[in-house]
Amino acid sequence: MSFGPQEKTVLDLWDSGLTILQIVVQTGIKKENVGRILSSFDGSSDQRIDEASIRAGSQALLAAIQQVQA
């Protein structure tokens, strides 16, 4: 599959573990374009977003529990 430099950059950053927002900040590419690139070239993009949301929610819950226990 052939793709341009912008797509390569986004996919490389995604594969290195960056989130969509981190890619947006690092590259200056609009969030919608990053999402489009990931959806076009990486079938796991939706799953990664869900996993990130779950991790963030779990971290917030743990912090709240620790605050109550303190």
Side-chain angles (χ1 to χ4, degrees), residues 30-53:
K30 291 181 181 180
K31 182 178 178 182
E32 296 79 17
N33 291 342
V34 171
R36 178 189 50 77
I37 291 167
L38 293 174
S39 294
S40 296
F41 292 100
D42 184 6
S44 66
S45 61
D46 290 339
Q47 179 183 359
R48 291 264 313 262
I49 293 168
D50 290 343
E51 289 173 1
S53 294

Side-chain angles (χ1 to χ4, degrees), residues 3-55:
F3 45 87
Q6 188 176 57
E7 288 86 358
K8 181 177 181 347
T9 298
V10 168
L11 293 173
D12 286 346
L13 292 172
W14 182 254
D15 288 343
S16 74
L18 270 63
T19 65
I20 291 174
L21 290 178
Q22 289 170 324
I23 294 170
V24 168
V25 169
Q26 186 166 330
T27 63
I29 300 170
K30 291 181 181 180
K31 182 178 178 182
E32 296 79 17
N33 291 342
V34 171
R36 178 189 50 77
I37 291 167
L38 293 174
S39 294
S40 296
F41 292 100
D42 184 6
S44 66
S45 61
D46 290 339
Q47 179 183 359
R48 291 264 313 262
I49 293 168
D50 290 343
E51 289 173 1
S53 294
I54 292 167
R55 271 193 305 277

